[in-house]
Amino acid sequence: MQKLSLKKGVSRKSAYNLRDPKDDKPERHTLAILVDNESGVLARVIGLFSGRGYNIDSLTVAEVDHLGNRSRITIVTSGTPSVIEQIKAQLSRMIPVHDVHDLTVEGESVERELALFKVFAKGEKRVESLRLADVFRAKVVDSTLVSFTFELTGAPEKIDAFADLMVPLGLREIARTGVAALARG
Amino acid sequence: MLKEPNPTGIKSGAQIVVDALIEQGVDTVFGYPGGAVLPIYDEIFQQTKIKHVLVRHEQGAVHAAEGYARSTGKPGVVLVTSGPGATNAVTGLTDALMDSIPIVVLTGQVPTFMIGNDAFQEADTVGITRPCTKHNWLVKDTNILANVIHEAFHVAITGRPGPVLVDIPKDVQFAAGKYQKRSKDLRKRYNPQTTPNDKLILKAVKAFENSKKPILYSGGGVVNSGEQASNLIRKLVAESNFPITSTLMGLGCYPASGENWLGMLGMHGTYEANMAMHDCDFMFCIGARFDDRITGKTDEFSPNSVKVHIDIDPSSINKNILVDIGIIGDISVSLDKFLHVWRERGSKSNTKELKNWWQEIQAWKKIDCLKFKNDTKSIKPQYALQILEKLTKTMDRYVTTEVGQHQMWAAQFMGFEEPRRWMTSGGLGTMGYGFPASIGVQIAHPKSLVINVAGEASWLMNMQELGTAVQYNLPVKQFIINNKRLGMVRQWQELLHGGRYSHSWSDALPDFVKLAESYGIKGIKCEKLGELEKAIIEMIEYDGPVIFDCVVEKHENCFPMIPSGKAHNEMILEADQPENKIEESGAVLV
């Protein structure tokens, strides 16, 4: 990580308004959006992103409060500081949106993603894939004589790293859930 | 045949719709019937509290509702059927969204059990209108119908106003359900911030006091905030002696006859307003949104000013132009606080520097950017509007416009003393807006003079509404500036595309007088300069709808103009100047 050369505002501990809004370098932000769980709400949020040309790197959504009828949408997006500001303002003014949290600037947070990997391998490669899965603490959830399906949970970077290692060993398919994130503490 | 009151509270969905509208204080609905709204039309037939105005096309219904809403401050209401009824309303919805006009559109839908089956006249109305409404609802249960309609009105008029749509399947209209009265709980779900942050107000006051070359730049948000906002702006200007300009949407908030008025700013705004925006050291943006028609080239927009922006919509702040102090709040509430703080601190301003600033502004004014060469024979469009203005400005008058050159000339040459007197399609630029809008305005103000300043091409886009004007005997005056061209398109082709006038004229215009006569109303054609004044008086005095065909010079351009891709201080003042060619980089912009 960039511990020694922190750019202004990138630190998760820095106050948000220290960020330079005129900076035009894109940043990656994780947004947690609490919405009413009603029909069409996901379409509204996605439509905002596509209609206004914002990026979605990852998106997850599920009901999190059955009695309160709330869902949580976690979106990983990237854009310049002013675009990120716009995204938050545009989301906040939607009627079914109750809260928008920018986890990237609101203090520390944890991000996790679950992924399934199907690897076809024989001989030494098959053994190696099992060994690496063990290193990454991936679980074998299905196996045949010619393939394994691994389940791995972790930060997106860990999933990426495991995928990179599996490619030469016979990775055929990946399914990823997208990022779920919570602020710490 | 009127229905007896029903004390049980159990009603049909269609009855609930009508009762909810009545509870919301609706007196007029603009609409067009069809299969999927027949139950609601049946209920409308059996009551007298709501007047239904039958339009000739659903787009006309929405624009009429916009005219009604803009001129009264109350939400406009539209009732149309499913499928094509709903899709025809889309342009009006988008127009209302861009200009923040509160309207409530009720659409019929195929029965719930047929949704998704490609039924006759089925369209995914909430899907299609999601990006062009502030919010929309598909109601699948009669028991929540009343509540949804109440919420729809609440959303339409609260915060930054806008259009909403409620889609009601036919079986929901037939089914019985419980009527719910409007409750205050609606605030819980949607309650945008209206009170500004005190610290920011204080910061803004300090910047205001320290300014040497200030300018106030007001917009449509002032109109939407209510009469009080206009009054406060007038007080602020009178007490500070600061100059003020306004966007197209905000005309009338500060009176055009006011001493500190610089005229409209922006692409076709006045030279003095744009130069003052460019050279100021303090800009106070009140309920405007730094639209691209206003800013020109954003990199060179007002480079040396401290910018304060008040807006009720947080997403408007820092969207196009980064400001130094962004205040989220209702204009009336914020200006009230601002004035209070400023007065408490002694109503300070830099009088001496302000005097110098006014001298600079007076020098720009002397250029007389709106001057034009009058012709001896043909009517110049600017002249036609000058005469129209001269003859009507003291009257109880409302003006709507279509979109194009005539719209800009109307904004330049007509003056408005009060808000809500000027209805135009600003954000979306919808040709065909003005005629139906004038109908909506006239319905709301039956005794007033309502003039639609139109271009012949725009006017033809919704000319079917002649039927509406005639049916309800609405004395709307259609003042058509007829240059037989798509004037603004032609102007851009001349300036940007080497004079290749691709499809920007019409070879088949109707005889407007005969067209009027075919509907049994008055048509007036005027081609001669000397007859213009008399003809306009005849139009004003006629008790009924009039189509006025004002045949004007065909190739007049609208100046001054900030070419696209240029800054405020690079305005074109007159045609025929070789340095006024627009560069290629500007040509890609709209």
Side-chain angles (χ1 to χ4, degrees):
Chain A
M1 299 294 277
Q2 307 176 321
K3 269 190 182 161
L4 293 173
S5 57
L6 277 179
K7 262 198 323 181
K8 190 164 88 172
V10 174
S11 160
R12 295 183 171 196
K13 282 181 183 160
S14 70
Y16 177 70
N17 55 15
L18 287 180
R19 293 166 64 239
D20 179 4
K22 288 182 180 158
D23 189 0
D24 55 0
K25 288 197 192 81
E27 297 172 357
R28 178 182 178 277
H29 283 243
T30 305
L31 308 179
I33 308 153
L34 287 167
V35 297
D36 283 327
N37 182 19
E38 61 184 27
S39 115
V41 66
L42 184 61
R44 282 179 210 284
V45 170
I46 294 173
L48 173 75
F49 276 74
S50 64
R52 293 187 184 264
Y54 307 143
N55 299 312
I56 296 180
D57 296 342
S58 150
L59 181 145
T60 62
V61 55
E63 187 180 71
V64 289
D65 175 2
H66 186 67
L67 290 177
N69 197 35
R70 295 286 164 88
S71 288
R72 185 181 176 103
I73 301 176
T74 310
I75 292 185
V76 180
T77 183
S78 52
T80 61
S82 57
V83 167
I84 300 284
E85 277 300 284
Q86 263 297 301
I87 292 174
K88 288 189 278 185
Q90 294 286 357
L91 285 168
S92 303
R93 71 178 187 150
M94 301 179 98
I95 314 297
V97 170
H98 288 268
D99 248 326
V100 179
H101 290 290
D102 186 343
L103 297 175
T104 308
V105 296
E106 285 179 10
E108 292 187 42
S109 62
V110 284
E111 290 186 7
R112 287 295 178 270
E113 194 178 352
L114 185 143
L116 298 174
F117 300 80
K118 197 183 280 177
V119 180
F120 281 76
K122 284 181 186 164
E124 187 52 35
K125 282 188 174 174
R126 184 169 162 90
V127 180
E128 181 62 16
S129 70
L130 258 188
R131 228 179 271 143
L132 281 169
D134 193 39
V135 172
F136 275 76
R137 300 203 179 90
K139 275 196 288 187
V140 177
V141 289
D142 178 51
S143 58
T144 67
L145 290 173
V146 290
S147 74
F148 286 122
T149 300
F150 298 113
E151 173 198 312
L152 179 60
T153 310
E157 299 80 27
K158 181 177 167 182
I159 312 271
D160 291 342
F162 188 68
D164 287 347
L165 288 171
M166 284 298 129
V167 169
L169 299 178
L171 181 65
R172 286 266 181 92
E173 264 187 282
I174 307 182
R176 296 173 74 148
T177 58
V179 172
L182 281 179
R184 286 192 63 182
Chain B
M1 185 181 71
L2 296 181
K3 284 205 168 166
E4 295 293 312
N6 176 350
T8 60
I10 301 292
K11 301 170 179 183
S12 76
Q15 252 179 315
I16 287 174
V17 170
V18 172
D19 287 1
L21 294 181
I22 291 170
E23 194 187 341
Q24 289 289 341
V26 174
D27 52 20
T28 310
V29 170
F30 301 90
Y32 203 99
V37 278
L38 282 175
I40 299 173
Y41 269 87
D42 199 25
E43 288 300 325
I44 284 181
F45 190 82
Q46 300 174 61
Q47 56 82 48
T48 53
K49 285 184 178 147
I50 295 175
K51 175 180 178 161
H52 179 272
V53 177
L54 177 69
V55 294
R56 296 300 183 274
H57 186 282
E58 289 86 352
Q59 186 190 353
V62 185
H63 292 325
E66 284 186 274
Y68 177 95
R70 190 73 176 169
S71 66
T72 60
K74 294 196 294 183
V77 181
V78 174
L79 175 60
V80 296
T81 193
S82 64
T87 55
N88 279 345
V90 166
T91 303
L93 286 167
T94 314
D95 191 89
L97 186 71
M98 293 286 267
D99 285 346
S100 309
I101 312 291
I103 54 171
V104 178
V105 176
L106 307 174
T107 53
Q109 181 56 278
V110 300
T112 47
F113 52 85
M114 291 174 85
I115 289 178
N117 289 358
D118 295 330
F120 177 64
Q121 292 195 329
E122 181 186 355
D124 176 10
T125 303
V126 284
I128 291 168
T129 60
R130 207 174 276 132
C132 61
T133 51
K134 193 174 166 189
H135 196 64
N136 61 14
W137 296 259
L138 169 63
V139 185
K140 289 182 173 172
D141 176 2
T142 308
N143 288 308
I144 64 164
L145 183 53
N147 226 0
V148 169
I149 292 175
H150 294 317
E151 191 184 14
F153 275 86
H154 170 71
V155 169
I157 59 177
T158 307
R160 180 177 178 176
V164 296
L165 181 143
V166 183
D167 198 24
I168 312 169
K170 198 172 182 182
D171 55 337
V172 174
Q173 299 170 32
F174 274 125
K178 191 153 176 54
Y179 184 82
Q180 288 155 312
K181 282 198 156 33
R182 176 160 68 164
S183 84
K184 285 188 178 142
D185 286 355
L186 294 170
R187 284 260 161 214
K188 283 184 192 157
R189 180 152 128 115
Y190 181 64
N191 191 15
Q193 178 185 350
T194 52
T195 314
N197 179 314
D198 287 336
K199 281 182 190 161
L200 290 175
I201 290 281
L202 181 63
K203 266 176 92 175
V205 169
K206 285 180 179 168
F208 186 89
E209 288 169 349
N210 290 331
S211 66
K212 292 169 182 156
K213 297 173 160 194
I215 187 160
L216 308 183
Y217 144 46
S218 65
V222 182
V223 181
N224 281 333
S225 179
E227 212 172 313
Q228 175 68 357
S230 293
N231 291 337
L232 288 166
I233 282 212
R234 290 163 192 227
K235 279 184 192 156
L236 184 64
V237 173
E239 291 173 33
S240 66
N241 192 30
F242 282 11
I244 179 167
T245 178
S246 165
T247 65
L248 183 73
M249 295 307 293
L251 295 178
C253 293
Y254 183 79
S257 61
E259 275 180 22
N260 298 45
W261 177 238
L262 301 188
M264 181 177 80
L265 81 161
M267 187 173 265
H268 293 288
T270 65
Y271 184 69
E272 51 270 29
N274 286 327
M275 288 304 285
M277 287 288 281
H278 188 267
D279 283 8
C280 68
D281 73 346
F282 172 80
M283 179 187 294
F284 197 179
C285 170
I286 305 168
R289 59 183 177 90
F290 295 99
D291 179 85
D292 54 73
R293 299 294 98 162
I294 296 305
T295 61
K297 189 177 187 181
T298 48
D299 301 347
E300 288 166 32
F301 175 74
S302 193
N304 304 313
S305 60
V306 172
K307 298 176 186 73
V308 178
H309 184 186
I310 307 181
D311 205 297
I312 201 161
D313 178 2
S315 76
S316 282
I317 290 169
N318 290 336
K319 182 169 68 182
N320 298 331
I321 297 288
L322 288 171
V323 295
D324 301 277
I325 304 168
I327 300 171
I328 298 163
D330 175 66
I331 302 297
S332 303
V333 180
S334 308
L335 277 184
D336 193 42
K337 279 203 169 191
F338 184 93
L339 258 175
H340 189 72
V341 173
W342 181 60
R343 283 173 181 160
E344 227 170 34
R345 289 166 54 89
S347 302
K348 284 182 275 189
S349 66
N350 289 315
T351 332
K352 204 178 123 204
E353 280 90 349
L354 191 60
K355 211 177 146 197
N356 293 338
W357 177 230
W358 270 112
Q359 274 171 0
E360 276 187 67
I361 292 173
Q362 295 305 344
W364 291 323
K365 271 193 175 176
K366 278 205 186 108
I367 287 182
D368 190 13
C369 64
L370 296 180
K371 67 172 177 263
F372 59 95
K373 291 180 200 118
N374 225 342
D375 202 276
T376 48
K377 283 187 196 150
S378 70
I379 302 171
K380 284 283 176 97
Q382 299 97 319
Y383 177 73
L385 287 164
Q386 265 181 347
I387 299 296
L388 182 68
E389 167 71 356
K390 187 181 92 180
L391 295 173
T392 61
K393 72 174 172 189
T394 55
M395 304 175 86
D396 172 19
R397 173 190 78 176
Y398 291 83
V399 175
T400 68
T401 76
E402 306 284 346
V403 168
Q405 284 182 322
H406 68 275
Q407 178 190 28
M408 293 296 108
W409 280 318
Q412 291 171 344
F413 289 92
M414 302 186 87
F416 298 92
E417 300 297 307
E418 292 163 56
R420 303 206 179 284
R421 295 279 170 165
W422 163 251
M423 271 61 54
T424 192
S425 172
L428 194 65
T430 310
M431 291 172 71
Y433 166 89
F435 187 10
S438 71
I439 286 172
V441 175
Q442 189 80 73
I443 293 272
H445 308 275
K447 299 265 161 63
S448 307
L449 173 67
V450 180
I451 304 169
N452 174 32
V453 175
E456 83 291 344
S458 282
W459 192 83
L460 288 172
M461 279 202 178
N462 270 325
M463 63 178 264
Q464 78 284 347
E465 297 306 328
L466 267 174
T468 314
V470 172
Q471 180 171 344
Y472 298 93
N473 193 26
L474 303 168
V476 288
K477 313 302 181 204
Q478 303 303 314
F479 190 75
I480 300 174
I481 306 274
N482 184 356
N483 60 1
K484 301 179 181 154
R485 300 285 182 279
L486 306 184
M488 194 60 95
V489 173
R490 194 208 57 78
Q491 175 168 347
W492 279 57
Q493 287 171 336
E494 180 186 319
L495 295 172
L496 285 159
H497 295 277
R500 293 179 293 280
Y501 300 118
S502 183
H503 300 271
S504 57
W505 76 91
S506 172
D507 259 344
L509 288 173
D511 179 330
F512 286 103
V513 174
K514 280 189 184 157
L515 180 63
E517 284 165 358
S518 76
Y519 272 91
I521 62 171
K522 190 170 184 67
I524 302 172
K525 181 172 183 171
C526 182
E527 288 175 285
K528 291 187 186 135
L529 199 67
E531 293 168 5
L532 183 61
E533 200 159 322
K534 215 179 106 209
I536 292 179
I537 291 171
E538 190 187 352
M539 172 186 87
I540 298 165
E541 288 180 348
Y542 182 76
D543 183 21
V546 178
I547 302 178
F548 191 106
D549 182 11
C550 185
V551 181
V552 298
E553 161 62 38
K554 293 186 182 71
H555 302 117
E556 192 68 11
N557 282 335
C558 183
F559 290 112
M561 176 181 185
I562 303 176
S564 44
K566 298 266 183 155
H568 276 174
N569 57 350
E570 299 174 289
M571 290 194 90
I572 302 179
L573 285 170
E574 283 171 87
D576 314 326
Q577 289 175 2
E579 68 269 26
N580 290 341
K581 287 282 170 246
I582 296 169
E583 290 154 19
E584 269 179 43
S585 59
V588 299
L589 303 169
V590 286

